[in-house]
Amino acid sequence: MATDTPLRPADSASFGDDPGAARPVPRAGGPAVRLRGLIGIDEGLLAWVPEERTRYTWYGALVVNTALVGALSMTLALSSFRSDLPLAAVIAVAVVWFWVVLAMDSWLVSSTHGTAVKKWSLLLRFVLSVLLGLFIAEPILFQIFDKEIRQEIAVGNEQQTADYRGMLVSCNPTDGASTADRPACLGYQLKVAGSPAELAAQIKSNTARTKALQTQVDAINKTLDDKMSAEQRLCGKANWIWRNGVRDVTITCDRARKDSSEYRRTSKVDTYEKELSALVAKSRTLTAKKDTAADAYQPLLQRAIDAKTRARAADLDTDGILTRAHGLRKVAESDGFALFITVVLHLLLISLDAMPVLAKLMSGATMYDRMLGARFTASSGTYTEELQVQQECARMEHEVQRHGVAQDTTDRMRRLEHDFQRAQAERAAAERAELEERMDRILRARKA
């Protein structure tokens, strides 16, 4: 009867009478193994539960799909926001992002294997998956609603440009009146030369300066006329005197002439009169300009407003990520179907990225997880026993070393004692021989 019993390998077990149910089954090969390897599956352990192979193969496929969608999303983002980048740079960045998403998702899934994973840990991994899905969804949404977003941005920029032009027109009246007292016009005032208001202010200032200078010149001339009158009176023929046989002016006349000449020089009346003449001429010129300023100022102001408006329109962003995000928000707010597509796409990509973690939360621990947990427990126990064996071996080795040291110490102490006793005996024999030799010498000396 014993010879009729079939023999099995020591590492194999059979479930029932089906020969195909032998465990472990031969290891598989091909792309499925690589997909499972991405999520940290041990093929040796999975060979004991081959029924789980399909589940974990699709887990790996989900991770690869998420990384591919992330690479596509990054490509679309770079094509939309940085159209100046060369194709090689876009491909390089997309490949790097593919690897980053693949590594992150692989870690998220591989860290959920086993029975020791806590629910809160799975929730944290789910939150990370949600964030990754949100980041991947935005560039795809930008591409789907590209036409609507561009139209919304164009309308918004046109409105901003129109508002800016309206503020320029409001804060820069055609008569050139100042709007500095209006806080809303801060930063909207234009400096255009030749406005009627500016010319009126210049005429007013020039007139005031002319009047002040005229008053000053009149006072100087009055004083100078008084000095000239005094000079003429003191230097008249009635005041001449005889000097060296001829008629001459007096010293008082010389002083009056010197005083009038010195006053004319120090008072700068000639300079003031020239300046007054220039101010009068400038007043006539400004008055003439003011008469024609109303017709000439308006075209200059209009050109300045047009230039500022064009510069403002050129400065407005049309392709920035924040601008497109605001455009997408406005599109979603203005159209119910666009909002529905936005929400659905976000949920789809979030679900795609979080599907492995969601599957773990919904399905609970699999047979593979339980076997992995059992192996963890067995490995932990084996490692603990190994540590205990190593500790016991180390202790026994220390005991042997301690005993050897004790035996060696005893043996050395015995040899030292033997050497000491032998040295004492040799010294005693040497002393006796020396005493006997001395006695012999003494006896021989007495006999002699």
Side-chain angles (χ1 to χ4, degrees), residues 177-231:
S178 176
T179 57
D181 56 338
R182 293 167 57 184
C185 290
L186 184 62
Y188 291 97
Q189 290 95 352
L190 298 178
K191 294 182 179 180
V192 181
S195 67
E198 180 183 359
L199 291 174
Q202 292 180 5
I203 291 173
K204 182 178 179 180
S205 175
N206 188 77
T207 301
R209 174 61 181 160
T210 301
K211 289 181 179 180
L213 189 60
Q214 183 66 55
T215 302
Q216 184 178 1
V217 169
D218 291 343
I220 293 174
N221 285 331
K222 182 177 183 304
T223 303
L224 185 61
D225 290 342
D226 293 340
K227 290 182 179 294
M228 292 297 295
S229 299
E231 177 186 351

Side-chain angles (χ1 to χ4, degrees), residues 285-324:
T285 302
L286 290 175
T287 302
K289 286 184 178 181
K290 183 181 178 182
D291 295 336
T292 60
D295 297 331
Y297 177 72
Q298 292 184 7
L300 293 176
L301 178 62
Q302 188 64 36
R303 284 197 292 271
I305 292 176
D306 292 341
K308 277 287 187 179
T309 303
R310 286 193 298 271
R312 176 66 174 179
D315 291 339
L316 292 176
D317 185 32
T318 58
D319 290 325
I321 184 171
L322 294 179
T323 302
R324 293 179 68 84

Side-chain angles (χ1 to χ4, degrees), residues 300-351:
L300 293 176
L301 178 62
Q302 188 64 36
R303 284 197 292 271
I305 292 176
D306 292 341
K308 277 287 187 179
T309 303
R310 286 193 298 271
R312 176 66 174 179
D315 291 339
L316 292 176
D317 185 32
T318 58
D319 290 325
I321 184 171
L322 294 179
T323 302
R324 293 179 68 84
H326 290 308
L328 178 61
R329 178 179 59 81
K330 291 181 179 179
V331 170
E333 291 176 352
S334 61
D335 188 272
F337 183 73
L339 177 61
F340 173 75
I341 293 296
T342 302
V343 174
V344 168
L345 184 58
H346 274 98
L347 293 177
L348 178 63
L349 292 176
I350 290 172
S351 301

